[in-house]
Amino acid sequence: MLVRVGVGLAIIALLALALWLYARSWAPARDQYPVQGVTISADNGVVEWGTLAAQGADFAYIRAARGAAGRDPAFAANWRAARTAGLRYGAMLDYSLCRLASDQATRFVTTVPRDNAALPPVIRLAFDPGCTARPGRDLVLSELNTLVNLVESHAGKTVLLNVTEDFDALYDVGSGINRTLWLDGNFFPPDYATRPWVMWTASDMRHIDGVDGPVRWDVVAP
């Protein structure tokens, strides 16, 4: 009996290991999603951009600032290096419910240079563990409209809104602000917003050469 239990546990452990290894390397099929890329921040450490490009990244979104925490210290270096590596590149702002939209916009426009070659800017809407504020929907949408307008005025391009499922469940951003949606969902295409998505974070646990630790791997709708 003990032998059977031991064998069973060993099989479970091997299956778990296989699933973990599969998740680390998984990405959507290129024939279904030809354009794929990555989200990068200072949390990823020093990025080997040439290696990253060689691993199949077509573009990179680079975090410029966190609304509540300030500028991303690696932004300028990553911005230059992505361009040098030949990737398409764009800037992302992590929005915070604990800071005024005008202050967050100022942080973005003083961090991200005007660049006609850059991709449209992204505002990421996710709950920050360090911010417990949950304002009413009308106030949040008003603040977001202010932020969107200021960022678009600086960039000269229409923003994308990268909305997590829990944030959208509370604020229904998709029906409140008419902008292109970027949604999240490991392994399975997301369906939680009121409008179709144009970009999808297909995995936040992919490991790829050139970057330390897991990355957010993103795809564009075909």
Side-chain angles (χ1 to χ4, degrees), residues 40-49 52 74 77-78 81 208-213:
I40 293 293
S41 72
D43 297 338
N44 298 114
V46 177
V47 177
E48 297 175 8
W49 283 95
L52 180 59
N78 283 333
I208 189 168
D209 291 345
V211 186
D212 290 336

Side-chain angles (χ1 to χ4, degrees), residues 5 7 9 11 23 41 50 82 84 139 183:
V5 171
V7 170
L9 291 174
I11 292 173
S41 72
T84 300
L139 177 58
L183 305 181

Side-chain angles (χ1 to χ4, degrees), residues 31-147:
D31 59 349
Q32 296 181 358
Y33 299 98
V35 181
Q36 305 191 15
V38 66
T39 303
I40 293 293
S41 72
D43 297 338
N44 298 114
V46 177
V47 177
E48 297 175 8
W49 283 95
T51 302
L52 180 59
Q55 295 297 304
D58 302 307
F59 64 87
Y61 266 100
I62 302 165
R63 188 176 68 200
R66 284 177 171 166
R71 295 179 178 87
D72 188 298
F75 173 77
N78 283 333
W79 188 259
R80 290 191 301 268
R83 183 173 54 212
T84 300
L87 275 72
R88 300 199 67 190
Y89 53 93
M92 175 177 285
L93 170 66
D94 286 4
Y95 176 71
S96 172
L97 292 168
C98 286
R99 293 290 186 274
L100 291 174
S102 57
D103 293 342
Q104 297 181 67
T106 297
R107 188 167 288 138
F108 182 89
V109 303
T110 57
T111 301
V112 181
R114 287 188 172 96
D115 188 339
N116 291 332
L119 295 167
V122 171
I123 299 173
R124 179 162 171 81
L125 305 175
F127 292 125
D128 179 354
C131 171
T132 59
R134 297 294 182 266
R137 181 172 184 265
D138 288 345
L139 177 58
V140 169
L141 293 182
S142 175
E143 282 285 282
L144 285 177
N145 271 304
T146 296
L147 181 59

Side-chain angles (χ1 to χ4, degrees), residues 22-24 26-28 33 124 162-165 182-192 197 199-207 214-219:
Y22 177 76
R24 284 169 56 98
W26 180 86
Y33 299 98
R124 179 162 171 81
N162 178 199
V163 191
T164 61
E165 185 171 5
W182 171 346
L183 305 181
D184 295 351
N186 281 326
F187 311 118
F188 300 101
D191 61 0
Y192 55 81
W197 55 270
M199 287 187 63
W200 161 39
T201 296
S203 175
D204 62 8
M205 58 185 71
R206 188 176 188 200
H207 287 246
V215 298
R216 296 179 62 225
W217 191 254
D218 316 309
V219 302

Side-chain angles (χ1 to χ4, degrees), residues 159-172:
V159 304
L160 285 73
L161 299 178
N162 178 199
V163 191
T164 61
E165 185 171 5
D166 54 353
F167 197 100
D168 192 68
L170 185 58
Y171 293 115
D172 189 14

